[in-house]
Amino acid sequence: MTGRAVLRGLLGASLALAGLTGLAGLTIGRPGPVGAAASPPVSVAPPVSVAPLVGVAADNATGGYWLAASNGAVFAFDAPFYGSMGGTPLNRPVVGIAATPGGGGYWLVAADGGIFAFGDARFSGSMGASQLDQPVVGMVADPATGGYWEVAADGGIFAFDAPFHGSMGGTRLNQPVVGMAATPDGGGYWLVAADGGIFAFGDAVFRGSMGGTPLVAPVTAMATDPATGGYRLVAADGGLFSFDAPFAGSAAGQPLARAMVAVVPASGGGYLLVDGDGSVRAYGDAVDQGAVTVPPLAGLVVALDPGHDGGNGNAPQIIDQLENSGGFLEACDTAGTETADGYTEHAFNFDVATRAAALLRAAGATVVLTRTTDTGVGPCVDQRAAIANDAHAAAAISIHADGGPPTGRGFTIDTPAPVVSSISDNTAIVGPSGQLGVDVRDAFAAVTGEPVSDYAGVDGIDQRSDLGGLNLSTVPKVLIECANMQNPVDAALTEDPAWRQLAAQGITAGITDFLTAELRPA
Ligand SMILES: [Zn+2]
């Protein structure tokens, strides 16, 4: 263990090094996700990755590298492009990339153990068709055989044309295994857990660990240093812990949009750090050959639920049916309100949701809508909750306008109170939903200028236990009453397309604030 390095990582100090670059827009290299022919280095805007980055592999032949994203896309920098899974639907996300020793190819590995081989990388089998107890979290190539190992979160090792040296499968771990590294001759390997614990097998020598030492942020990856036979661990916040390997700096203390996901050695003691946001940081003799841009909400699902529907008013036989809303019976849906001029709430809700969906998609999110027209009936409130739950939305919002007292105005955010029923339990999402509510309230007020309600809630927030859409949610969710359609001032706003765009921008900004804060490490 290099004590100095450990201290730096722990204290969060950062070192400004000549080799540290990685600023977007200044990359030099040959981004090659489409496999274009090599061209002279030119100054180019970084390619956009629609999914977060998950790994990096060095091209030992050229000194370049490949970056891999969770959707299987591969970005080549001063390295040949051999193919990718970008554009191909995957059962489970890609979680890592490994290169062949000669740099003539690479493998991608997915969380279900699936292996995708490109170039001279040989397919030697995979766990893709097997039921795994825990997801696969990474892989490494065996430099001796041309085979590889997969490692799962429970410490299980799956060897393909590579010797099995042992595993932690079946042993209870304090923290999940997050990565592995092989010794230069392939005679052994180390596993690393999120708490920095190291498990050594075969001819891999235990040279120290962070196990038992409180960390600012969890360890996310490791790599061996071929020059010394030591290894380095990288933490989500960019902290780096070196063990019998040179320490040349870290990103600890720097603001990261997403967690650090990989470390890869250079030939002379340097290394690259790569985060999920696409940034590449070079230390020592490592060279930053280019990075990618990951949109802020890439990889995240947002559910938008425009309240009511255009056909509800003529379908009482459907929408009046009672459903279980989490311990009590409630109508499937209602027709909603409208302004004195006859502008309907369902039209307002649908228009604001459509505008917000466009904004969220532009920020990289996958958007799920509970209805895609304004002429149907329903769906019922419980179905609306199920749509967001089934999509594993990172955030969900029901968009409404209120039919409050004509003398009152302003907007309200309804947040879930804890409700446990025979069919539901929303206690786990009460906390994050409260945060989502605060973020949406603040952003909506700032963007639209709309005051918080003077007749409902406190400071624009109303925690409720009587709304099925919130009781039945298993994902962070709020409901916004954007304005009071019975109030003449608010009614005029809702009828103005420009204000509806502001409302969509405010909702989008609040959701973005909530989600990006969740992505930020430490
Ligand atoms: Zn409504």
Side-chain angles (χ1 to χ4, degrees), residues 200-218:
F201 301 93
D203 69 3
V205 178
F206 179 82
R207 301 175 187 273
S209 83
M210 297 305 293
T213 307
L215 300 177
V216 174

mmCIF file of all heavy atoms in Angstrom, residues 200-218:
data_model
loop_
_atom_site.group_PDB
_atom_site.id
_atom_site.type_symbol
_atom_site.label_atom_id
_atom_site.label_comp_id
_atom_site.label_asym_id
_atom_site.label_seq_id
_atom_site.Cartn_x
_atom_site.Cartn_y
_atom_site.Cartn_z
ATOM 1 N N ALA A 200 -7.528 -12.231 -3.015
ATOM 2 C CA ALA A 200 -6.484 -12.637 -3.965
ATOM 3 C C ALA A 200 -6.523 -14.143 -4.175
ATOM 4 O O ALA A 200 -6.664 -14.914 -3.218
ATOM 5 C CB ALA A 200 -5.117 -12.209 -3.444
ATOM 6 N N PHE A 201 -6.369 -14.570 -5.422
ATOM 7 C CA PHE A 201 -6.419 -15.992 -5.787
ATOM 8 C C PHE A 201 -5.266 -16.326 -6.734
ATOM 9 O O PHE A 201 -4.790 -15.470 -7.482
ATOM 10 C CB PHE A 201 -7.754 -16.319 -6.459
ATOM 11 C CG PHE A 201 -8.950 -16.036 -5.594
ATOM 12 C CD1 PHE A 201 -9.601 -14.808 -5.670
ATOM 13 C CD2 PHE A 201 -9.407 -16.981 -4.678
ATOM 14 C CE1 PHE A 201 -10.685 -14.534 -4.861
ATOM 15 C CE2 PHE A 201 -10.496 -16.711 -3.867
ATOM 16 C CZ PHE A 201 -11.139 -15.482 -3.954
ATOM 17 N N GLY A 202 -4.851 -17.600 -6.739
ATOM 18 C CA GLY A 202 -3.772 -18.043 -7.619
ATOM 19 C C GLY A 202 -2.470 -17.350 -7.234
ATOM 20 O O GLY A 202 -2.160 -17.200 -6.049
ATOM 21 N N ASP A 203 -1.733 -16.890 -8.243
ATOM 22 C CA ASP A 203 -0.458 -16.229 -7.946
ATOM 23 C C ASP A 203 -0.619 -14.732 -7.673
ATOM 24 O O ASP A 203 0.367 -13.999 -7.592
ATOM 25 C CB ASP A 203 0.557 -16.470 -9.075
ATOM 26 C CG ASP A 203 0.187 -15.762 -10.375
ATOM 27 O OD1 ASP A 203 -0.834 -15.033 -10.411
ATOM 28 O OD2 ASP A 203 0.931 -15.940 -11.367
ATOM 29 N N ALA A 204 -1.859 -14.279 -7.555
ATOM 30 C CA ALA A 204 -2.091 -12.871 -7.205
ATOM 31 C C ALA A 204 -1.706 -12.664 -5.738
ATOM 32 O O ALA A 204 -2.136 -13.421 -4.867
ATOM 33 C CB ALA A 204 -3.555 -12.505 -7.428
ATOM 34 N N VAL A 205 -0.886 -11.676 -5.485
ATOM 35 C CA VAL A 205 -0.396 -11.394 -4.134
ATOM 36 C C VAL A 205 -1.253 -10.304 -3.495
ATOM 37 O O VAL A 205 -1.530 -9.278 -4.120
ATOM 38 C CB VAL A 205 1.079 -10.947 -4.178
ATOM 39 C CG1 VAL A 205 1.580 -10.595 -2.780
ATOM 40 C CG2 VAL A 205 1.939 -12.037 -4.815
ATOM 41 N N PHE A 206 -1.670 -10.554 -2.260
ATOM 42 C CA PHE A 206 -2.394 -9.521 -1.517
ATOM 43 C C PHE A 206 -1.413 -8.432 -1.107
ATOM 44 O O PHE A 206 -0.436 -8.684 -0.406
ATOM 45 C CB PHE A 206 -3.059 -10.136 -0.279
ATOM 46 C CG PHE A 206 -3.798 -9.116 0.553
ATOM 47 C CD1 PHE A 206 -5.080 -8.710 0.219
ATOM 48 C CD2 PHE A 206 -3.191 -8.548 1.675
ATOM 49 C CE1 PHE A 206 -5.753 -7.769 0.977
ATOM 50 C CE2 PHE A 206 -3.865 -7.595 2.450
ATOM 51 C CZ PHE A 206 -5.145 -7.209 2.083
ATOM 52 N N ARG A 207 -1.632 -7.216 -1.567
ATOM 53 C CA ARG A 207 -0.703 -6.117 -1.275
ATOM 54 C C ARG A 207 -1.365 -5.032 -0.445
ATOM 55 O O ARG A 207 -0.827 -3.928 -0.317
ATOM 56 C CB ARG A 207 -0.173 -5.534 -2.590
ATOM 57 C CG ARG A 207 0.566 -6.560 -3.455
ATOM 58 C CD ARG A 207 0.961 -5.981 -4.796
ATOM 59 N NE ARG A 207 1.513 -6.970 -5.702
ATOM 60 C CZ ARG A 207 2.797 -7.314 -5.758
ATOM 61 N NH1 ARG A 207 3.676 -6.763 -4.940
ATOM 62 N NH2 ARG A 207 3.211 -8.220 -6.622
ATOM 63 N N GLY A 208 -2.510 -5.327 0.100
ATOM 64 C CA GLY A 208 -3.194 -4.347 0.931
ATOM 65 C C GLY A 208 -4.581 -4.078 0.392
ATOM 66 O O GLY A 208 -4.913 -4.462 -0.736
ATOM 67 N N SER A 209 -5.421 -3.444 1.211
ATOM 68 C CA SER A 209 -6.790 -3.150 0.795
ATOM 69 C C SER A 209 -7.306 -1.970 1.596
ATOM 70 O O SER A 209 -6.641 -1.487 2.514
ATOM 71 C CB SER A 209 -7.695 -4.366 1.016
ATOM 72 O OG SER A 209 -8.145 -4.414 2.360
ATOM 73 N N MET A 210 -8.486 -1.529 1.243
ATOM 74 C CA MET A 210 -9.166 -0.488 2.004
ATOM 75 C C MET A 210 -10.248 -1.081 2.894
ATOM 76 O O MET A 210 -11.007 -0.335 3.520
ATOM 77 C CB MET A 210 -9.782 0.542 1.058
ATOM 78 C CG MET A 210 -8.767 1.283 0.213
ATOM 79 S SD MET A 210 -7.483 2.091 1.205
ATOM 80 C CE MET A 210 -8.477 3.350 2.030
ATOM 81 N N GLY A 211 -10.359 -2.389 2.921
ATOM 82 C CA GLY A 211 -11.348 -3.022 3.781
ATOM 83 C C GLY A 211 -11.138 -2.597 5.224
ATOM 84 O O GLY A 211 -10.014 -2.601 5.709
ATOM 85 N N GLY A 212 -12.193 -2.199 5.886
ATOM 86 C CA GLY A 212 -12.097 -1.765 7.271
ATOM 87 C C GLY A 212 -11.812 -0.285 7.435
ATOM 88 O O GLY A 212 -11.875 0.238 8.540
ATOM 89 N N THR A 213 -11.468 0.396 6.353
ATOM 90 C CA THR A 213 -11.228 1.843 6.406
ATOM 91 C C THR A 213 -12.449 2.563 5.852
ATOM 92 O O THR A 213 -12.877 2.271 4.742
ATOM 93 C CB THR A 213 -10.003 2.220 5.545
ATOM 94 O OG1 THR A 213 -8.901 1.409 5.933
ATOM 95 C CG2 THR A 213 -9.657 3.689 5.704
ATOM 96 N N PRO A 214 -13.029 3.476 6.626
ATOM 97 C CA PRO A 214 -14.205 4.181 6.092
ATOM 98 C C PRO A 214 -13.849 4.968 4.831
ATOM 99 O O PRO A 214 -12.842 5.670 4.794
ATOM 100 C CB PRO A 214 -14.590 5.138 7.222
ATOM 101 C CG PRO A 214 -13.933 4.592 8.443
ATOM 102 C CD PRO A 214 -12.682 3.908 7.981
ATOM 103 N N LEU A 215 -14.667 4.835 3.821
ATOM 104 C CA LEU A 215 -14.419 5.508 2.541
ATOM 105 C C LEU A 215 -15.438 6.618 2.340
ATOM 106 O O LEU A 215 -16.583 6.518 2.780
ATOM 107 C CB LEU A 215 -14.530 4.507 1.384
ATOM 108 C CG LEU A 215 -13.576 3.314 1.399
ATOM 109 C CD1 LEU A 215 -13.874 2.386 0.223
ATOM 110 C CD2 LEU A 215 -12.128 3.790 1.354
ATOM 111 N N VAL A 216 -15.014 7.670 1.656
ATOM 112 C CA VAL A 216 -15.918 8.764 1.291
ATOM 113 C C VAL A 216 -16.985 8.254 0.329
ATOM 114 O O VAL A 216 -18.150 8.620 0.406
ATOM 115 C CB VAL A 216 -15.124 9.923 0.649
ATOM 116 C CG1 VAL A 216 -16.060 11.006 0.130
ATOM 117 C CG2 VAL A 216 -14.136 10.507 1.660
ATOM 118 N N ALA A 217 -16.560 7.389 -0.584
ATOM 119 C CA ALA A 217 -17.470 6.839 -1.591
ATOM 120 C C ALA A 217 -17.035 5.414 -1.885
ATOM 121 O O ALA A 217 -15.867 5.065 -1.715
ATOM 122 C CB ALA A 217 -17.434 7.690 -2.862
ATOM 123 N N PRO A 218 -17.953 4.570 -2.322
ATOM 124 C CA PRO A 218 -17.593 3.168 -2.545
ATOM 125 C C PRO A 218 -16.585 2.992 -3.678
ATOM 126 O O PRO A 218 -16.561 3.772 -4.630
ATOM 127 C CB PRO A 218 -18.930 2.514 -2.917
ATOM 128 C CG PRO A 218 -19.797 3.633 -3.374
ATOM 129 C CD PRO A 218 -19.368 4.840 -2.587
#
